[in-house]
Amino acid sequence: MSVPPPPEPITGARLLFSLDPAVSHLNHGSFGAVPIVAQRAQQRLRDEMEADPLRFFTQGLADRIAHTRRHLAGFLGADPEHTALTTNATTGAAVVFQSLGLRSGDEVLTTDHGYGAVDYSIRRECRRTGATHRVLPVPLTATQEQVVQIVRDGLRPGRTRLLVVDQVTSATARLFPVAAIVGVAREHGVPVLVDAAHAPGMLPASVRSIGADFWVGNLHKWGYAPRGTAVLVVAPPWRDRIEPLVVSWEQDSGFPARLEWQGTSDYTAWLSAPAGLYTLRSLGVDRVRAHNAGLAAYGQRVVGDALGVPPAELPDPGGPTVAMRLIPLPAGLATTLDGARALQTRVAERLATQVAIMAWGGRGWLRLCGQVYNTPEEYQRLAVGLPGLLAQR
């Protein structure tokens, strides 16, 4: 079966980034890439800060942060008064965990597609409070309806104090039906935290329409913001219970200021985030989403064919704008975290290509991303070089 053609390139998009042209950057999902316009906006803010630090921090900074928050919340379809800026989705999730007031006998419920650092945070909070962490296995081939049913069957009303579910999973590049899951959990009185680390910029969904108790998302991945820019959206009943990880001078101001103000932190990433969204809007948000998803699908097929993986065995991401795709690796490769990291490094060093290698479900997976700075030729080069590298065990 022939590989479908790649999408038409977005002319000039590659020049908007300062990425090393000698490297194929096929792993946008891990750390993103900041457009030059946003880099320059942040540098101007840093220059302003260093020219007069006292003025920068004490005259109008809180208002500038609030203005940025309103801008980002508007893009995400969230209420600015229920939104707080934070450094990343993992930090926002940790804030939620410590604010819940977990006790012995309580449980936090997740799926086995959850992000590893978030799982670490859950386990730490459970050790501290005596609560438990229970994990629901969800097959990679489960339909959206089956995912909802697995979650429904796994809830324990009265004991499950929080359900954590990913909107787009990191390890498995899978879109979960979070709005339907939130609806099921609400029927059983279980609060939900949606880990939407990859959603802003990639997905068109509105935060309001999901209706979760807590929603965390990164702007520094698919939203082109400088790194360290994320939001935590909190439903009204929970706002007064949210406590920052570190108490600072805005503690008595309540949410969101008590969460956002962290003394002498560098706030320039937040303040320059609208410049990243400007780049995305200039290219055309819908156009970028369609291009990136189409290019990731093309790369999945090209590399999958090179590894002898039938198209039917290539995982479906579950949504038309998901710009990350999985390819199963040969049996026995990268089945552990250490093995996955070692192989990822080999691919980078020998093929000059940055990809994500994941260990999930007892086997290794290659995760490819599509972004406006990528070209079909980069996936083709990976397809040519990868089989030989994998054969060198």
Side-chain angles (χ1 to χ4, degrees), residues 10-34:
I10 298 179
T11 304
R14 177 65 180 79
L15 300 176
L16 300 175
F17 298 83
S18 55
L19 294 164
D20 184 350
V23 177
S24 294
H25 302 273
L26 306 182
N27 186 19
H28 185 89
S30 284
F31 296 101
V34 183

Side-chain angles (χ1 to χ4, degrees), residues 28-225:
H28 185 89
S30 284
F31 296 101
V34 183
I36 294 171
V37 65
Q39 294 179 41
R40 290 176 176 170
Q42 184 176 20
Q43 188 57 53
R44 287 194 296 270
L45 286 162
R46 283 177 171 155
D47 291 343
E48 177 190 345
M49 176 173 62
E50 297 306 333
D52 192 340
L54 188 64
R55 178 188 178 102
F56 181 86
F57 281 98
T58 63
Q59 298 185 29
L61 179 56
D63 290 338
R64 295 169 81 172
I65 292 172
H67 176 75
T68 299
R69 181 200 317 129
R70 289 191 292 270
H71 186 103
L72 300 183
F75 175 75
L76 297 170
D79 187 332
E81 298 305 313
H82 302 158
T83 302
L85 297 175
T86 185
T87 53
N88 56 43
T90 306
T91 301
V95 167
V96 173
F97 301 148
Q98 80 150 22
S99 300
L100 282 175
L102 293 172
R103 298 176 298 181
S104 178
D106 294 338
E107 72 171 20
V108 178
L109 183 64
T110 67
T111 76
D112 59 350
H113 295 249
Y115 187 58
V118 171
D119 286 343
Y120 278 129
S121 185
I122 293 171
R123 290 197 288 269
R124 185 186 69 173
E125 192 65 18
C126 287
R127 286 194 302 270
R128 190 179 71 84
T129 62
T132 59
H133 175 205
R134 187 161 57 90
V135 181
L136 292 175
V138 177
L140 192 59
T141 56
T143 65
Q144 302 283 64
E145 294 76 14
Q146 288 170 334
V147 172
V148 174
Q149 189 60 49
I150 289 170
V151 172
R152 185 194 304 273
D153 294 341
L155 295 172
R156 295 175 179 172
R159 182 172 179 181
T160 306
R161 287 289 310 282
L162 182 70
L163 168 66
V164 182
V165 62
D166 296 63
Q167 192 162 356
V168 178
T169 64
S170 177
T172 56
R174 176 71 193 273
L175 177 68
F176 274 3
V178 290
I181 290 172
V182 168
V184 166
R186 183 174 291 114
E187 293 173 4
H188 294 81
V190 176
V192 180
L193 165 63
V194 173
D195 182 347
H198 289 277
M202 182 196 287
L203 303 180
S206 164
V207 175
R208 287 191 188 92
S209 68
I210 295 170
D213 300 86
F214 313 99
W215 186 97
V216 289
N218 293 323
L219 274 296
H220 53 243
K221 292 181 184 283
W222 306 91
Y224 295 161

Side-chain angles (χ1 to χ4, degrees), residues 42 45 49 56-57 61 65 68 85 229 248 259-273:
Q42 184 176 20
L45 286 162
M49 176 173 62
F56 181 86
F57 281 98
L61 179 56
I65 292 172
T68 299
L85 297 175
T229 305
S248 193
L259 198 65
E260 293 173 337
W261 188 259
Q262 293 293 303
T264 52
S265 292
D266 186 345
Y267 299 97
T268 60
W270 295 357
L271 299 181
S272 51

Side-chain angles (χ1 to χ4, degrees), residues 266-289:
D266 186 345
Y267 299 97
T268 60
W270 295 357
L271 299 181
S272 51
L277 288 184
Y278 172 81
T279 302
L280 180 60
R281 289 181 169 124
S282 297
L283 294 172
V285 178
D286 292 338
R287 182 187 182 198
V288 168
R289 286 170 176 157

